[in-house]
Amino acid sequence: MTTPLRSTLDFLLHDWLRADALTPRERFADHSRETFDAVLDTCERIAREKYAPFNRLVDTEEPHTVTEPDGTLRVVLPQATYEARRAYAESGLLSAAQDYDVGGMQLPYTVEAAANSFFAVASISIGSNLLTAGNANLLMAHGTPKQKEVFALNEFNGRWAGTMCLSEPQAGSSLSDVATRAVPDGAGSESDALGPRYRLTGNKMWISSGDHELTENIVHLVLAKIPGPDGKLVPGVKGISLFIVPKRLVDEEGGLTGERNDVALAGLNHKLGWRGTTNTLLNFGEGRYPVRGGAGAIGYLVGKPGEGLRCMFHMMNEARIGIGMAATMLGLAGYYASLDYARERTQGRPIVSHAAGAAGKAAKDASAPPVRLIEHADIRRMLLAQKSYGEGALALNLYCARLVDEQHTGDAQAADEARLLLEVLTPIAKSWPSEWCLEANSLAIQIHGGYGYTRDFPVEQYWRDNRLNMIHEGTHGIQAMDLLGRKVVMEGGRGLQLLAGRVNATIQRAMEHPDLAAHANELARALAEVGAATKAAWATGEPAEALANAVPYMQAAGHMVLAWIWLDLAVAVLARGGAAAQATDAADAGRLGAMRYFFRYELPKIGAWLNVVRTRDMTCAEMPEDGF
């Protein structure tokens, strides 16, 4: 039986994004609708068999440590985690978008992202695949040939896993305050085959999948600062460099040398959600595992000194879109669960017409049998909200994935436009789903009533898992400041202009359908309001004033973007069903209904958000501390 997710993906990939239009391009010439479907079939099966049955297990049997006789902390995970990870690695999806000559499938990233959604909806916290793929992709972009061969390829083939080590206990998201140090590792260190060799000392916090036994090695990508001639660290982010620090040392052919690097697990963080993934505090170079004559974790420089953050942003941007997708799929998982519950659970009786009751008063027929929850208007409101958030966010994230393919395989102009559109959309693609799909999970609990607040049903776990995503890979506030403070004004505002061009093109197509014309006009007004608020926020040129309400700006911009996505989806639905604004099947009717819901219930919210942006309201910024 086709799942709701599969039918949604088929519509988005083929009826909306026209993924098959990529196959004439040289890179994807061996692919077709049949190969795309085969990948989706395989991933859907693995997710159904190896992930979904164990989602509750990895939540209740969270990672813990045992102390070995030599004092080493070892992470213990359920056996199901190993089997799921092995099945994922054997599917080839870790390297699906890579070149044939490195073991990849040269699969469009659009299809890879869609395939990964099955695993996310089945169990978001099993495995470490997102970071491993992002780690390896970064090395393919910025590493030396030997670093690609030894580290990236062994991550793609599943032998090793990867991490991203940015945050530190004293710094959190403030990367300017990174204090991990890297010093050259003696004579000849600059000519090491694996890259200039350094010794690192410092502490990293909140490192997902930072330690486990799922793979034979873990490749840490670590941000650290190289001291200047005076021995002091360069202040700010300009002094940050990037290093490969493997858990176990390897030779230049990728073979394990038998040496444990000086990277120690200090402990696990015990989380509200995502409990199936280890989250660690790592100590680098404290001497717990002296290596090659002394303390200090051995690491290999990636790129040039001082350019670590630029390299790491390659992985961070990929991870941000991945987190947006994770939030989306948790929202959809809750929606599917609450939809099933609403169709099965009977409770309450319908409100009858005025003929049976006094005008202006709700009347019910107490003698009538209870009805299913889904027959109540308010339950349908909550279901429609979830559907509009989850399916809209999925479409947005797949649209971003399609831009990645365009950036890599389109002509020069199309590639440049895709690059700039991705710059603008990435903060929204990460943060909008993390806020509104969390709200979807809350609504899923509400539909379940008191049962939703118990562990007898999965919706409480989905909410807990999703609550991390507003923090994960850059908090909500950081993404908002990135959007308003940098992305919409970069290159003279050209990215925002490009986005406006795409939105206006959808508006023009929608105007050709009488039943969509009113929505098209509403979207045009919303687009104009976002543009005017952007200019007003920066009218004084004072960043403190412009960014005081960055989050309301991002909420409004995000809602405008999602309204655009929904209107574009509606145009695609009507293109399938002919000129009349009628759906050809129940799924299309659902899409049109979700679109109408979003325009009538959600888009009107942007006025209040933009009002404080436009007036540069300083209520929050100027609140005296003692007043709290």
Side-chain angles (χ1 to χ4, degrees), residues 484 489 531-543 545-547 613-616:
L484 180 56
V489 296
T534 306
K535 293 179 181 178
W538 285 103
T540 63
E542 292 291 337
E545 293 183 2
L547 300 179
V613 177
R614 187 171 50 249
T615 59
R616 300 181 299 282

Side-chain angles (χ1 to χ4, degrees), residues 74 98 127 129 171 241 482 563:
R74 181 172 61 83
Q98 297 301 312
N129 306 312
S241 300
D482 182 44

Side-chain angles (χ1 to χ4, degrees), residues 165-244:
C165 300
L166 289 79
S167 299
E168 298 181 2
Q170 83 291 343
S173 299
S174 180
L175 297 181
S176 296
D177 297 316
V178 162
T180 300
R181 302 168 65 93
V183 297
D185 186 30
S189 59
E190 69 282 354
S191 58
D192 193 296
L194 296 178
R197 192 177 65 250
Y198 286 74
R199 293 273 184 163
L200 278 72
T201 55
N203 314 101
K204 294 291 181 177
M205 182 62 135
W206 314 117
I207 309 307
S208 296
S209 302
D211 199 73
H212 53 74
E213 301 296 327
L214 294 170
T215 54
E216 67 179 35
N217 206 359
I218 301 174
V219 181
H220 301 294
L221 283 178
V222 184
L223 291 182
K225 291 183 176 181
I226 302 171
D230 59 359
K232 296 181 180 179
L233 300 182
V234 178
V237 299
K238 292 183 179 179
I240 296 177
S241 300
L242 180 64
F243 301 87
I244 298 168

Side-chain angles (χ1 to χ4, degrees), residues 141-445:
H142 300 287
T144 66
K146 183 56 72 172
Q147 288 172 345
K148 297 175 188 178
E149 175 191 340
V150 170
F151 297 106
L153 267 57
N154 279 311
E155 291 181 87
F156 283 139
N157 66 26
R159 281 183 64 201
W160 302 346
T163 73
M164 177 168 59
C165 300
L166 289 79
S167 299
E168 298 181 2
Q170 83 291 343
S173 299
S174 180
L175 297 181
S176 296
D177 297 316
V178 162
T180 300
R181 302 168 65 93
V183 297
D185 186 30
S189 59
E190 69 282 354
S191 58
D192 193 296
L194 296 178
R197 192 177 65 250
Y198 286 74
R199 293 273 184 163
L200 278 72
T201 55
N203 314 101
K204 294 291 181 177
M205 182 62 135
W206 314 117
I207 309 307
S208 296
S209 302
D211 199 73
H212 53 74
E213 301 296 327
L214 294 170
T215 54
E216 67 179 35
N217 206 359
I218 301 174
V219 181
H220 301 294
L221 283 178
V222 184
L223 291 182
K225 291 183 176 181
I226 302 171
D230 59 359
K232 296 181 180 179
L233 300 182
V234 178
V237 299
K238 292 183 179 179
I240 296 177
S241 300
L242 180 64
F243 301 87
I244 298 168
V245 184
K247 176 181 177 179
R248 295 181 174 89
L249 294 180
V250 301
D251 59 32
E252 60 185 87
E253 302 304 320
L256 299 178
T257 65
E259 302 167 286
R260 170 74 184 257
N261 205 356
D262 196 5
V263 182
L265 172 65
L268 301 179
N269 298 306
H270 299 285
K271 302 167 295 178
L272 179 72
W274 283 66
R275 291 177 176 173
T277 301
T278 58
N279 190 275
T280 62
L281 170 63
L282 299 178
N283 294 338
F284 291 83
E286 67 175 359
R288 179 70 183 81
Y289 304 105
V291 60
R292 297 182 184 175
I298 291 177
Y300 306 98
L301 181 68
V302 179
K304 297 179 180 178
E307 295 188 0
L309 203 55
R310 183 181 70 84
C311 295
M312 185 63 89
F313 263 108
H314 184 104
M315 184 176 180
M316 289 169 68
N317 284 333
E318 185 173 327
R320 285 170 176 173
I321 293 175
I323 290 303
M325 183 66 90
T328 297
M329 302 321 298
L330 284 164
L332 282 173
Y335 167 59
Y336 297 149
S338 62
L339 177 59
D340 286 345
Y341 188 81
R343 283 172 167 163
E344 295 170 1
R345 168 80 171 178
T346 58
Q347 187 171 322
R349 289 159 179 83
I351 298 173
V352 298
S353 67
H354 289 317
K361 293 183 179 180
K364 297 181 180 180
D365 182 0
S367 65
V371 298
R372 295 173 303 141
L373 283 175
I374 200 168
E375 296 180 50
H376 296 292
D378 194 54
I379 297 294
R380 294 191 178 202
R381 175 189 64 83
M382 290 187 281
L383 288 170
L384 264 173
Q386 292 180 72
K387 182 179 179 68
S388 73
Y389 300 154
E391 292 184 7
L394 177 58
L396 172 61
N397 277 280
L398 290 180
Y399 183 86
C400 288
R402 182 65 177 78
L403 289 175
V404 171
D405 284 325
E406 198 64 35
Q407 184 180 1
H408 292 157
T409 64
D411 61 41
Q413 180 179 344
D416 186 59
E417 288 186 2
R419 170 194 63 82
L420 199 49
L421 276 168
L422 271 171
E423 291 279 10
V424 174
L425 288 175
T426 293
I428 295 172
K430 187 274 180 188
S431 283
W432 196 93
S434 72
E435 178 172 6
W436 296 100
C437 290
L438 178 68
E439 173 63 15
N441 290 135
S442 182
L443 292 172
I445 292 173

Side-chain angles (χ1 to χ4, degrees), residues 415-596:
D416 186 59
E417 288 186 2
R419 170 194 63 82
L420 199 49
L421 276 168
L422 271 171
E423 291 279 10
V424 174
L425 288 175
T426 293
I428 295 172
K430 187 274 180 188
S431 283
W432 196 93
S434 72
E435 178 172 6
W436 296 100
C437 290
L438 178 68
E439 173 63 15
N441 290 135
S442 182
L443 292 172
I445 292 173
Q446 191 73 13
I447 288 172
H448 280 73
Y451 288 111
Y453 201 63
T454 71
R455 295 186 183 181
D456 297 331
F457 290 85
V459 287
E460 61 85 26
Q461 181 185 343
Y462 296 142
W463 187 94
R464 285 187 291 104
D465 283 342
N466 217 349
R467 188 57 189 82
L468 175 60
N469 291 319
M470 288 178 72
I471 302 168
H472 224 171
E473 304 303 340
T475 64
H476 218 43
I478 287 173
Q479 302 298 331
M481 288 190 288
D482 182 44
L483 178 65
L484 180 56
R486 196 164 71 90
K487 296 300 179 60
V488 299
V489 296
M490 67 187 296
E491 298 185 24
R494 191 165 70 90
L496 190 57
Q497 293 167 10
L498 279 173
L499 177 59
R502 300 286 174 106
V503 175
N504 279 320
T506 296
I507 290 170
Q508 294 304 312
R509 290 196 298 273
M511 291 295 289
E512 298 173 5
H513 300 278
D515 285 1
L516 298 182
H519 300 312
N521 286 324
E522 291 164 8
L523 179 57
R525 285 192 292 272
L527 175 62
E529 288 180 43
V530 170
T534 306
K535 293 179 181 178
W538 285 103
T540 63
E542 292 291 337
E545 293 183 2
L547 300 179
N549 296 288
V551 167
Y553 176 85
M554 183 172 68
Q555 289 171 313
H559 261 51
M560 184 275 291
V561 165
L562 265 292
W564 161 53
I565 291 290
W566 269 116
L567 190 60
D568 210 58
L569 293 174
V571 172
V573 166
L574 299 187
R576 293 206 306 179
Q582 300 294 324
T584 57
D585 59 21
D588 282 346
R591 293 179 187 110
L592 293 177
M595 180 275 298
R596 286 191 291 270

